[in-house]
Amino acid sequence: MAKKIKLDIEGMHCASCSKIVTSELEKIGARNVSVNPVSGKSFAEVDDSVSFEQIGKAVKDAGFKLIGFSEGSASGAPSSFKPSNEINTWKTKLISVWGLTSLIVAIMYSEYLIGAPLVPIKWMIPLMLVLSFPIIFIFGFSTIKSGARGFVRLQFTMDSLIALGTVVAYSTGILSYFIDVTSFAGVSGMIMTIFITGKFIEAKAKGRATSEIRKLLELGAKKALVLRGKKEIEIDISEVKIGDVMIVKPGEKIPTDGVVVKGESAVDESMITGESLAVEKMRGGKVIGATINQDGVLYIKATKIGSDTFLSHIVKLVEEAQGTKVPIQKLADKVTGVFVPVILVLALLTFLGWYLIFDVSLSIALSNAIAVLVIACPCALGLAVPISLMVGSGMGAKRGILIRKGEAIQTMKEVKTVVFDKTGTITKGEPEVVEVSTKNEKKLFEIAGSLEKLSEHPLARAVVKKAGLKKYLSVKKFKVIRGKGLEGVIGGKKYIVGNEALMKDKRIALGSYAKVVKGFAEKGFSVMVVVENKVVLGAMGIADAVKEDSREAVARLNRGGFRTVMITGDNEVTARAIAREVGIKEVIAGVMPGDKAKEVIRLQKSGMVAFVGDGVNDAVALKEANVGIAMGGGSDIAIEAGDIVLAKGNLTGVVEAIKLSNATFRKIKQNLFWAFFYNVVAIPLAVAGFLNPVVAEIAMALSSITVVTNANLLRFSFNS
């Protein structure tokens, strides 16, 4: 019988890494293997006969480290991820190698910097060998080992390139004692230092991915108050059993999924469903774990626990979306498998050609071959993408656009459809009084504000805020009518504030306000009618108001030729009313969190999709979309799931993010062109013997400077 497994693997960083892991897992019978080298997650199916030890050995044989493991179906428990110390490891290496590299640079270029060498010439090479040795063979040992493994397997990675360049360059220092060849021992240390710097940045990105899952798990309640016999006992959430009756007081999280057996209250489910308004719960009503009870005591019978809960399912969906979504590989990674053997062969042919055919000295032949290897070292190629992303992300940060994942830059230019969540994205995420119909607005809000001040319902808070009373009227015989409204006596007169259903119960004729109430309902508003002694004083329409810039943002996208779509868990009437207001023509309403991702996948059949959202319920869709854009004012989970984060929470940021992404990607393409152009031009010159190793080193440095300079020109091109 087959079982699904999820692996957390440390040390992967390119497409070749995933191929190696896939190959080793398939050797032990794994099927449907999916490996994400960026997140470090792998999903696969294996027979029950395959042991954990076999899986661990397969990962180890691939050259990586297994740091997390779980098995089960998609609805199973989220893996207990073991935090990696990868970030701290690379940070330690980074500090160490830059300390040593600073000394190398000071010694090598002291004559140019201060006019005199810091050490005697005879000590120069030994010092370079001593200082570069720990950089390459201690702090860079994992890279050298990985590179060597690539040569053995004939599966070349960026590690193979770095290992080749550094070891050959370092070896020239030793060879210089035996033959007439220039030492590049110092340069070898510099190459490894640049590489380790990149690995540190990569490790930090992976660390953010792991924290996302931990934050999701932290949403759940840690303790539960349960009835055991006639006693109320507080227990750990892990000890809750199906059938336990939990007591949840106002303001507390509901421990796990269940059904209400006693009590009435409003429950805030916005973190799960995206619906801004609290949902009234009474006996028989189903509740979701981690949602928040607002104003009444609820007795809830646990129906689902552990891995079967709604929250656990969401966690699993995010994990799978994160682990199976393979990011677009950089061009540099795609060509390494060809680039390295070509350079090896080319260097060998250069040596043999000069030594055997042109009959030059061994030193000259070796010098030319080394020049080929040195100048082919992919420093510019390695800088081309990250330096562009650095500049682009820095510019974005100033504008409140946070680019979390570089692949979004490349993908954004292909996006044809922009999909929006409603609550908290297009709208403000909290109810407001948006329309009022009355002959005496002052009196209406004086009465309604004084009554609603005694209620904790979200709609009540909207009325109180709109009323803005400095002094409230005295209310007697106050009574809450669950799910419908409230009543009370002010100045000897009986007042009622509630919905249309309450008016019917109280047999209150709406009269001339009947059309007003109907119109409010058609717009998707929550309606509150204010009554004095059975005479209607007026009506209020309450809704989740549209953000000020939503219309402008959608209009700009429509003019730009983008297809705009809104997906929401809200009802059809409210959803279409909001869509009409902002200019969105396509609406998909009544969608639950898992289905949001499915709708995104469906829309992807027509082209690349960007999804814009802010809630926990949007996390899976944000991951599944080609580009996930999270609102900065939303949940931490949504922010972590997003490829791009709009810190200001304004929808116009979506338009600016698209503009910035396109500008940044243009620079990436230009830099990659210059990096390859440099190799195309310089390598033949080295082969032809026109470049000695020293000149080759300078050329390599200049190529890097060119790439950095071009990336910084982005600041001017984007502003223009």
Side-chain angles (χ1 to χ4, degrees), residues 333-356:
D333 281 335
K334 292 180 180 179
V335 302
T336 50
V338 176
F339 191 68
V340 175
V342 167
I343 294 302
L344 277 172
V345 172
L346 199 58
L348 179 61
L349 291 175
T350 299
F351 172 77
L352 294 174
W354 281 101
Y355 189 65
L356 298 177

Side-chain angles (χ1 to χ4, degrees), residues 196-213:
I196 288 174
T197 303
K199 293 292 288 184
F200 170 69
I201 296 170
E202 178 185 306
K204 287 194 71 175
K206 290 180 180 180
R208 289 195 295 269
T210 62
S211 69
E212 177 182 329
I213 303 300

Side-chain angles (χ1 to χ4, degrees), residues 309-469:
T309 64
F310 191 85
L311 179 62
S312 292
H313 185 62
I314 291 293
V315 171
K316 194 69 178 179
L317 287 174
V318 173
E319 281 192 318
E320 290 191 355
Q322 183 182 52
T324 58
K325 179 184 175 183
V326 180
I328 298 174
Q329 298 300 312
K330 300 179 179 63
L331 184 57
D333 281 335
K334 292 180 180 179
V335 302
T336 50
V338 176
F339 191 68
V340 175
V342 167
I343 294 302
L344 277 172
V345 172
L346 199 58
L348 179 61
L349 291 175
T350 299
F351 172 77
L352 294 174
W354 281 101
Y355 189 65
L356 298 177
I357 299 175
F358 295 102
D359 196 27
V360 300
S361 67
L362 178 64
S363 177
I364 294 175
L366 187 58
S367 178
N368 290 340
I370 292 172
V372 173
L373 292 172
V374 170
I375 205 164
C377 197
C379 291
L381 195 60
L383 282 171
V385 175
I387 193 63
S388 300
L389 291 177
M390 224 171 154
V391 176
S393 60
M395 292 176 60
K398 292 180 180 179
R399 295 164 171 78
I401 304 166
L402 309 178
I403 301 171
R404 295 189 64 251
K405 299 171 185 177
E407 58 265 25
I409 297 293
Q410 185 169 351
T411 309
M412 183 64 82
K413 69 181 180 67
E414 303 294 340
V415 167
K416 303 298 182 184
T417 303
V418 181
V419 181
F420 298 93
D421 167 55
K422 180 183 76 72
T423 305
T425 302
I426 294 174
T427 65
K428 295 179 180 180
E430 59 182 28
E432 291 183 359
V433 177
V434 292
E435 285 194 38
V436 180
S437 179
T438 181
K439 295 178 181 178
N440 191 338
E441 187 169 314
K442 182 180 179 183
K443 182 178 180 180
L444 182 83
F445 281 113
E446 195 173 41
I447 298 298
S450 298
L451 284 165
E452 298 288 9
K453 182 71 171 79
L454 302 176
S455 173
E456 293 297 321
H457 196 282
L459 294 183
R461 291 195 291 271
V463 174
V464 172
K465 183 179 179 181
K466 180 68 174 181
L469 301 178

